[in-house]
Amino acid sequence: MIMGFDVGGTNARGLLVDPATGATVDDDRTSSDGTGPVLLEKLVTMTRDLVDRNGVELTGVGLAIAGLASSRGTVHYSPNLPEIVEFAIGPELEKRVGVPVAVVNDASSGAWAEAKYGAGRGCADMAFVALGTGIGTGFVVDGRLLEGANGFAGEAGHMVIALDGPVHHTGQRGPWEYFASGTALGRLGREAAAAGLFEAGITLAGAPDQITGFHVAEALRAGDAHAAVVFDAFCRFVAIGITNLVLVLDPSRVIIGGGLTDIGEPLRSGVDDWLQQVLLGADHRPQVEVVLAELGSEAGALGAALVVLEDPRHNR
Amino acid sequence: MIMGFDVGGTNARGLLVDPATGATVDDDRTSSDGTGPVLLEKLVTMTRDLVDRNGVELTGVGLAIAGLASSRGTVHYSPNLPEIVEFAIGPELEKRVGVPVAVVNDASSGAWAEAKYGAGRGCADMAFVALGTGIGTGFVVDGRLLEGANGFAGEAGHMVIALDGPVHHTGQRGPWEYFASGTALGRLGREAAAAGLFEAGITLAGAPDQITGFHVAEALRAGDAHAAVVFDAFCRFVAIGITNLVLVLDPSRVIIGGGLTDIGEPLRSGVDDWLQQVLLGADHRPQVEVVLAELGSEAGALGAALVVLEDPRHNR
């Protein structure tokens, strides 16, 4: 059996996974606060508990972390988990559990889970785009997870798409994430409301400045015409970033994941329609498929477990 | 021996290459005008001539072409070679010469040549950025040429970096190429001259609207302070596109090639300095090396020859 963890800013989710099928055998959850050594202790304890109570043998552990996770097992930058930055969580955990440990960015692990057991099955070249508070991305190239020289590949949410655009909380001007995350969907809704063009949003949220992406999605579902205009603008922004990924990587499929997939088909078709319009040379190439993720919020932990089976470079 | 061709809008350059060393044994050149069948005949003739006069055995042919070159051997989009679009040049040539033929984009083949015998030696993850009339790019990922699902990977010159920016000749708004090609360097020079801030350029070119990238480079070399300002703005634009590539791919090295490498070290250091400033998280990752290409204008033909040795997917 293999363990997969998804360590977020609040919780660490752990899955005990059958490597032959990708099926979850057991699972648990703990808080992720505290220093590196404290988190390490929690991960060791949860691993031992799950292994013991299922009476199985452990062969590897994968750790998905939101941030710049080096393939050598150290997190170099993580606004959500500041206390574990520069702590060698991968090598330390490996010492304690005695099996190989892989540390990987959470969007890359989500991409790998979708590739193996989700919407990416059978597709050798694909891009996974998780739309949530920010934008996380992960890529599969020629059947393998794209990790890059340091394990930092897949930070495409920070790509600049408006070089003189607004300053994002990262300090950059005009990154993709500023325009096309769930946070951005809320801002577009607030802007429309302030312009008198989103009454339904004000009704749902209580006040114009309380509108979030959730309210835009809610109004869209109810058939509100103003919400549809806001959402169309949002889908264009998502598509522009995806065109950049298509031009660089030439995937045959793009998988949209993250919290915004709750919107469902309107999100998929909205992005798909804009992608065909804004992708240069779209008439001269096979149409890029746009599909929704299938695995939901456990993809990160599952993918981390599956990565440890594949990649001999981790922690080396 | 292997043949490598670089088929441009005007000429087709052919190299007979020793696959063991990458050394050019013989070479020739012909015009590239005419329809697909006419070009095919010229390539067959040149191949036979070079093979016969050197008394060698041919084991493969690579074709580098500016445009969307499918890994199945057909060019789907090529403004420079409109007459061969949708002509199955790869499979047709393969029938005539009786050895495997690979068709590849010219910037990708340049990247591969640099990876094997140029500035990319020993580097498993690298980005090649050719700055000329436009911007061509090619990528090596985990020691292999990144081709993508269709062979179309590496079209990063068309990445959008200014979504509300000026309309480029491709019809897109604000692609990287609009800001950071040799053509763009000339436009920046003309804009500076029109604003009264580039006298040296006017002197070199004869008139403000005659200034090209060449004149900016010439004035820069002569130590002109206004040219240095124009060039610094240009290097920032180059660096912004490179940050997008680094965020997606995480290369450890970026190789700058194309005609603008004649500028030399000021180009390398100008881009390098801006890259460290604009790359998000630059303090948290190993510094990306920025180096100049080593192989010059024959990299395209050489790389095409080397690709045919590597990739079993071509023409399949």
Side-chain angles (χ1 to χ4, degrees), chain A residues 149-150 155 160 163 244 247 250, chain B residues 149-150 155 160-161 244 247 250:
Chain A
N150 307 290
E155 292 285 319
V160 173
L163 57 85
N244 285 5
L247 290 166
D250 183 27
Chain B
N150 306 290
E155 291 286 321
V160 173
I161 65 166
N244 285 3
L247 290 166
D250 182 26

Side-chain angles (χ1 to χ4, degrees), chain A residues 68 76-77 85-86 125 137 139 141-142 144 146-156 158-164 170-173 179 236-237 240 243-252 278 280-281 284-286 313, chain B residues 68 76-77 85-86 125 137 139 141-142 144 146-156 158-164 170-173 179 236-237 240 243-252 278 280-281 284-286 313:
Chain A
L68 278 184
H76 292 294
Y77 179 73
V85 166
E86 301 304 339
D125 295 274
T137 59
F139 310 114
V141 167
D142 207 7
R144 304 196 298 177
L146 175 61
E147 302 196 67
N150 307 290
F152 300 161
E155 292 285 319
H158 305 299
M159 280 192 304
V160 173
I161 66 166
L163 57 85
D164 295 316
T170 53
Q172 301 170 289
R173 278 193 182 275
F179 295 96
R236 173 174 166 259
F237 290 138
I240 285 173
T243 63
N244 285 5
L245 301 180
V246 171
L247 290 166
V248 172
L249 296 165
D250 183 27
S252 59
V278 296
L280 183 72
H284 304 283
R285 57 193 305 154
R313 290 193 304 162
Chain B
L68 277 184
H76 292 292
Y77 179 72
V85 168
E86 300 305 338
D125 295 275
T137 59
F139 309 114
V141 167
D142 207 6
R144 304 194 300 178
L146 175 62
E147 302 196 68
N150 306 290
F152 300 162
E155 291 286 321
H158 305 300
M159 280 191 306
V160 173
I161 65 166
L163 56 85
D164 295 315
T170 53
Q172 300 169 288
R173 279 194 182 276
F179 294 96
R236 173 175 165 256
F237 291 138
I240 285 173
T243 64
N244 285 3
L245 301 178
V246 171
L247 290 166
V248 172
L249 297 165
D250 182 26
S252 59
V278 295
L280 183 71
H284 304 282
R285 56 196 303 157
R313 291 191 305 161

Side-chain angles (χ1 to χ4, degrees), chain A:
Chain A
M1 295 289 148
I2 39 178
M3 272 298 291
F5 287 101
D6 190 348
V7 184
T10 311
N11 289 306
R13 175 85 170 144
L15 305 179
L16 189 66
V17 174
D18 180 345
T21 63
T24 297
V25 174
D26 200 352
D27 66 276
D28 205 347
R29 183 185 296 271
T30 182
S31 73
S32 61
D33 54 358
T35 61
V38 170
L39 178 63
L40 174 67
E41 217 52 52
K42 291 178 187 173
L43 300 181
V44 170
T45 302
M46 200 199 297
T47 301
R48 286 184 180 155
D49 286 352
L50 285 172
V51 166
D52 289 351
R53 79 187 184 209
N54 289 279
V56 294
E57 195 190 347
L58 188 71
T59 57
V61 179
L63 229 61
I65 293 187
L68 278 184
S70 157
S71 48
R72 301 174 75 90
T74 298
V75 178
H76 292 294
Y77 179 73
S78 179
N80 293 326
L81 293 159
E83 292 199 87
I84 67 160
V85 166
E86 301 304 339
F87 178 71
I89 186 92
E92 292 297 328
L93 184 57
E94 194 163 284
K95 276 186 221 159
R96 296 291 299 279
V97 294
V99 295
V101 174
V103 179
V104 64
N105 173 271
D106 57 349
S108 286
S109 69
W112 191 237
E114 292 288 343
K116 299 297 274 188
Y117 294 108
R121 283 191 308 276
C123 179
D125 295 274
M126 68 91 159
F128 174 71
V129 176
L131 305 174
T133 309
I135 298 179
T137 59
F139 310 114
V140 173
V141 167
D142 207 7
R144 304 196 298 177
L145 184 64
L146 175 61
E147 302 196 67
N150 307 290
F152 300 161
E155 292 285 319
H158 305 299
M159 280 192 304
V160 173
I161 66 166
L163 57 85
D164 295 316
V167 176
H168 190 48
H169 68 76
T170 53
Q172 301 170 289
R173 278 193 182 275
W176 187 24
E177 185 176 273
Y178 177 87
F179 295 96
S181 61
T183 308
L185 181 59
R187 194 188 60 248
L188 291 170
R190 292 192 295 278
E191 288 170 2
L197 294 170
F198 192 25
E199 280 303 316
I202 299 172
T203 304
L204 285 166
D209 63 357
Q210 296 300 309
I211 295 171
T212 67
F214 173 81
H215 301 115
V216 178
E218 199 60 24
L220 183 75
R221 203 171 289 126
D224 180 64
H226 285 146
V229 172
V230 168
F231 190 67
D232 188 58
F234 173 78
C235 289
R236 173 174 166 259
F237 290 138
V238 177
I240 285 173
I242 291 176
T243 63
N244 285 5
L245 301 180
V246 171
L247 290 166
V248 172
L249 296 165
D250 183 27
S252 59
R253 192 177 300 169
V254 174
I255 300 173
I256 301 179
L260 265 65
T261 51
D262 288 347
I263 296 172
E265 175 59 21
L267 176 65
R268 194 209 64 76
S269 63
V271 172
D272 196 2
D273 291 350
W274 271 113
L275 182 60
Q276 307 314 321
Q277 290 183 56
V278 296
L279 176 59
L280 183 72
D283 296 345
H284 304 283
R285 57 193 305 154
Q287 188 167 327
V288 180
E289 291 178 86
V290 177
V291 302
L292 295 173
E294 292 177 2
L295 297 178
S297 62
E298 297 201 334
L302 174 60
L306 299 172
V307 162
V308 76
L309 293 175
E310 299 281 333
D311 195 317
R313 290 193 304 162
H314 278 280
N315 296 334
R316 301 293 169 264

Side-chain angles (χ1 to χ4, degrees), chain B residues 112-126:
Chain B
W112 192 237
E114 292 288 344
K116 299 295 274 188
Y117 295 108
R121 283 192 308 276
C123 179
D125 295 275
M126 69 91 162

